[in-house]
Amino acid sequence: MMQVELKKSRRRVADVSILGTTQLHLRNPYVIAWWSATVPGFGHLLLSKYLRGYVLILWEMVINTQAKINLSMVYAFTGRFEMSKDALDLRWMLLYAPVYIFAIYDSYRTTVDLNKIYILAEREKAEYTTFQISPLEINYLDKRTPWVAVIWSVVMPGMGQLYIHRIVTAFYLLGVWILICYQSHVLEAIHYTLMGDFTKATTVVKAEWFLFIPSVYFFAIYDAYTNTVENNKLFDKEQSQFLKSHYQMQKAKKILKEMRV
């Protein structure tokens, strides 16, 4: 019966699969655009447009490092403007701007469209699956603590997503974080800092990779927190809808029957 309902509905607000829970909810277009400006692809991940988001993040890392954009920014921030200009590779630089602007525009436009679709989907009140099981995984709607997701993301980006069962995004962020840490030598810098060798710590760091760290780190925290909150809302909404459809109407019918008697 549930499958028949899902097929007839034009729109649904959520889908629970073994790889994660994907849902529609209202978002601020400016917040999504801001995350896309931070790193192209982050805004799309927040919209659950995973394929586009994953590709754009990889594109950002490849083109940015080849064009030496982050390295040029470091020189500019430290007042070495001539070195900043010389560091840029124009062959790669001219490829960067169009896709960067498109990522911001597309995430903003998509957010506006998905907000409209969400409103329509809410009016339809279509049913959706709340439990999935396979030989490899189990996923189900459940309430989780947002701050626990934040703590795990602080410990290691990607773990907060794993806590709320966003499997693909969790391991993607974890892989990106490991790559950035390895290429930037940030763990070595932390080691030398703890040992008191500050000169060695500053020279070992690769600036073009190090500047990716704040964006990825804080995005992982923000994404884990917001999705935990929205998953909790989805759980409450599904419970309310289930109780109304299975019990409230029966009670009303019973009352009407007693009144007729």
Side-chain angles (χ1 to χ4, degrees), residues 39-258:
V39 172
F42 280 175
H44 291 87
L45 288 189
L46 290 172
L47 296 173
S48 299
K49 296 179 74 69
Y50 300 117
L51 181 59
R52 192 174 305 190
Y54 297 149
V55 173
L56 283 172
I57 292 171
L58 287 178
W59 170 89
E60 161 71 14
M61 296 178 68
V62 171
I63 303 297
N64 192 310
T65 53
Q66 293 298 319
K68 307 296 182 184
I69 293 173
N70 282 351
L71 183 60
S72 177
M73 290 172 61
V74 171
Y75 289 146
F77 292 156
T78 54
R80 294 173 285 180
F81 300 110
E82 287 299 323
M83 294 180 67
S84 176
K85 291 190 294 183
D86 294 338
L88 289 174
D89 188 334
L90 295 179
R91 294 174 301 173
W92 290 95
M93 181 67 183
L94 295 178
L95 295 174
Y96 185 83
V99 180
Y100 181 81
I101 296 172
F102 171 80
I104 299 172
Y105 162 78
D106 187 63
S107 62
Y108 179 91
R109 175 196 61 82
T110 305
T111 305
V112 174
D113 289 343
L114 289 180
N115 284 346
K116 295 177 182 178
I117 293 173
Y118 168 76
I119 294 172
L120 294 173
E122 275 289 282
R123 292 175 180 175
E124 292 183 19
K125 296 188 180 300
E127 294 183 3
Y128 44 86
T129 57
T130 59
F131 181 88
Q132 286 287 341
I133 186 170
S134 76
L136 297 177
E137 266 295 346
I138 300 174
N139 187 25
Y140 51 91
L141 279 183
D142 191 19
K143 298 194 76 170
R144 293 178 172 86
T145 307
W147 289 108
V148 173
V150 169
I151 291 171
W152 280 116
S153 294
V154 169
V155 173
M156 177 72 75
M159 294 297 97
Q161 283 72 19
L162 198 59
Y163 169 70
I164 58 174
H165 201 94
R166 301 185 70 200
I167 301 296
V168 179
T169 300
F171 285 107
Y172 185 86
L173 286 175
L174 183 60
V176 168
W177 181 252
I178 293 173
L179 175 63
I180 292 172
C181 287
Y182 180 81
Q183 293 291 345
S184 66
H185 298 270
V186 67
L187 298 182
E188 294 177 50
I190 293 173
H191 170 77
Y192 290 128
T193 300
L194 294 176
M195 297 296 292
D197 193 348
F198 301 109
T199 303
K200 186 70 173 178
T202 55
T203 56
V204 76
V205 171
K206 301 296 182 183
E208 60 268 31
W209 285 94
F210 182 79
L211 286 190
F212 286 123
I213 289 179
S215 299
V216 175
Y217 190 75
F218 289 107
F219 171 79
I221 296 172
Y222 176 81
D223 179 74
Y225 179 84
T226 55
N227 277 286
T228 306
V229 171
E230 293 301 331
N231 283 355
N232 289 345
K233 292 179 182 178
L234 186 67
F235 176 84
D236 291 337
K237 188 184 303 180
E238 192 279 332
Q239 285 286 86
S240 175
Q241 189 171 327
F242 175 82
L243 293 173
K244 287 179 180 178
S245 62
H246 286 75
Y247 296 99
Q248 182 170 296
M249 187 58 67
Q250 294 179 8
K251 185 176 181 180
K253 288 181 179 179
K254 184 178 179 180
I255 294 174
L256 288 175
K257 185 177 180 181
E258 291 175 353

